[in-house]
Amino acid sequence: MYREVLVKLQRYKGNPILSPNPVNEWENLAVFNPAAWYEKEKGLVLLLYRAAEANPEYKCYFGLAVSNDGYHFERVSDEPALSPSKDAFDGSTIQDPRMVKMGEYYYITYACRHYPFGQFWTPPETQYKPPKCPPEFPRFLRKNATTTGLLLTKDLKTFIRAGRITDALLDDRDVVLFPEKIGGKYVMMHRPLEWVGKKYRTKHACAWISTADDLLGFRKSKLLIKAKYDWEGGKLGINTPPIKTKHGWLTIYHAVGADKYYRLGALLLDLEDPSKVLHRTKDWIMQPETDYEIDGYYRGCVFPCGKIVIGDTLFVYYGAADKHVALATCKLEELLDHLLSCPA
């Protein structure tokens, strides 16, 4: 359906690198969509992954795994690193973390909901139904929409739940922070689901960028990218926190095609003004092809939430079909050279 590409992410032969663990109830159905960080001085790769239980509510948690080489991971505990809160805006599920480190703290953005949303891939008549809200309740609650929260932690053991980082009235996810201030401002990319139509100059939900003096103060946004190529047939969003290179900020984004498959592309953003797209891959750099990317709870989904660089290799950690954690790599310079040949 879509043409072959010259530069692609290469799957690790040992995939998947993490799979559901039947021993632990909180991760016995699925593990996927991991955040990643490389502690270079310690030679340690950290994966904060989303885990799902097999109960009808389909609650999600965060688990932590570590590696000395970026390929082979060990879970650090039989308990979640973090669970949904008991009675707050993230009381039913926490999911899709993205992680950066500034100073002593890791800053983690994560999607969440007030109520469980059930096993969406099962027949509608058997699915868990969230409670019905009175009509006086805010529309956001009645819709059980997704919001995005912010976590702060020094050790990935104890967490500060800072609150919502996005507008409480929006279904807003795919929220990614830059790992440093730019021009004295914090920078965030996000994907508001309702920002479509003539007012927003896009037919499908897409990626926006925002700056603020405070991490909970993002209020104004600018359109970053929207669907442009034939493989980008629907909504799209930013996947991974950007990495600073001499050519610009490198990040990976996804787009949902007409066939409902998730495919990945890459961007280079201006170092001093990241709202400026310098280069954008014309063709996808990864699409679902293997059994573990197609046969799962979301068929045909490759969804990274973290990437790191070790030596000259880019490691991209992704969720496969909403069931497994997998890894794809490429030479960083090869991807950058390819991007530099692509127009914005």
Side-chain angles (χ1 to χ4, degrees), residues 143-323:
K143 287 173 58 183
N144 194 25
T146 301
T147 190
T148 296
L150 176 66
L151 299 168
L152 286 65
T153 178
K154 286 184 177 182
D155 55 12
L156 297 172
K157 296 177 182 177
T158 57
F159 295 82
I160 299 170
R161 297 181 200 254
R164 289 188 183 92
I165 195 171
T166 53
D167 189 329
L169 300 180
L170 287 175
D171 187 316
D172 202 349
R173 59 188 90 173
D174 293 337
V175 174
V176 175
L177 291 172
F178 281 67
E180 63 181 64
K181 285 185 174 182
I182 302 174
K185 303 275 189 180
Y186 294 104
V187 185
M188 175 188 82
M189 296 178 286
H190 62 127
R191 204 282 312 279
L193 194 64
E194 295 97 343
W195 284 7
V196 294
K198 185 181 288 188
K199 177 180 177 181
Y200 299 101
R201 295 176 288 124
T202 176
K203 290 182 179 179
H204 306 285
C206 59
W208 296 72
I209 190 165
S210 180
T211 61
D213 294 318
D214 187 278
L215 281 167
L216 296 181
F218 295 101
R219 295 293 179 268
K220 293 183 179 179
S221 297
K222 180 179 179 181
L223 183 64
L224 183 66
I225 59 167
K226 59 183 178 180
K228 180 178 181 180
Y229 300 116
D230 60 353
W231 58 276
E232 304 169 339
K235 64 182 180 181
L236 61 76
I238 302 298
N239 282 83
T240 60
I243 290 173
K244 193 174 189 178
T245 77
K246 63 183 179 182
H247 302 294
W249 291 102
L250 171 66
T251 192
I252 291 172
Y253 72 98
H254 69 271
V256 181
D259 56 2
K260 306 303 181 186
Y261 273 28
Y262 279 64
R263 291 175 177 83
L264 304 180
L267 298 174
L268 269 178
L269 307 176
D270 188 82
L271 288 174
E272 296 181 1
D273 179 6
S275 69
K276 236 185 248 184
V277 180
L278 302 178
H279 301 278
R280 176 180 181 175
T281 48
K282 189 175 181 180
D283 303 304
W284 52 266
I285 59 172
M286 188 174 189
Q287 71 170 354
E289 294 176 359
T290 67
D291 290 345
Y292 57 83
E293 295 164 350
I294 295 171
D295 297 330
Y297 303 114
Y298 191 107
R299 291 178 57 83
C301 184
V302 290
F303 197 89
C305 288
K307 66 181 185 300
I308 62 169
V309 176
I310 301 178
D312 61 355
T313 301
L314 180 70
F315 289 69
V316 178
Y317 298 97
Y318 66 98
D322 278 13
K323 187 174 182 180

Side-chain angles (χ1 to χ4, degrees), residues 12 17 21 67 69 92 132 137 146 154 167 196-197 224 229 232 258 284 295-296 300 306 335 338 343:
Y12 171 49
I17 59 172
N21 185 354
S67 169
D69 63 4
S92 71
K132 266 200 164 183
F137 271 37
T146 301
K154 286 184 177 182
D167 189 329
V196 294
L224 183 66
Y229 300 116
E232 304 169 339
W284 52 266
D295 297 330
L335 178 56
H338 174 61

Side-chain angles (χ1 to χ4, degrees), residues 37-69:
W37 191 260
Y38 180 41
E39 290 289 353
K40 191 173 182 179
E41 291 183 1
K42 299 177 182 177
L44 200 63
V45 181
L46 308 173
L47 277 193
L48 190 70
Y49 60 90
R50 175 180 172 183
E53 63 180 20
N55 294 327
E57 290 90 347
Y58 188 56
K59 283 191 174 184
C60 293
Y61 306 77
F62 292 157
L64 181 63
V66 298
S67 169
N68 292 314
D69 63 4

Side-chain angles (χ1 to χ4, degrees), residues 16 18-33 49-61 75 93 95 117-122 128 292 295-298 319-325:
L18 285 176
S19 292
N21 185 354
V23 175
N24 299 327
E25 184 177 353
W26 58 275
E27 59 175 351
N28 63 359
L29 182 73
V31 294
F32 54 117
N33 297 6
Y49 60 90
R50 175 180 172 183
E53 63 180 20
N55 294 327
E57 290 90 347
Y58 188 56
K59 283 191 174 184
C60 293
Y61 306 77
R75 289 169 165 90
T93 186
Q95 57 197 64
F117 54 102
Q119 297 181 358
F120 57 87
W121 60 91
T122 60
Y128 168 86
Y292 57 83
D295 297 330
Y297 303 114
Y298 191 107
D322 278 13
K323 187 174 182 180
H324 301 281
V325 173

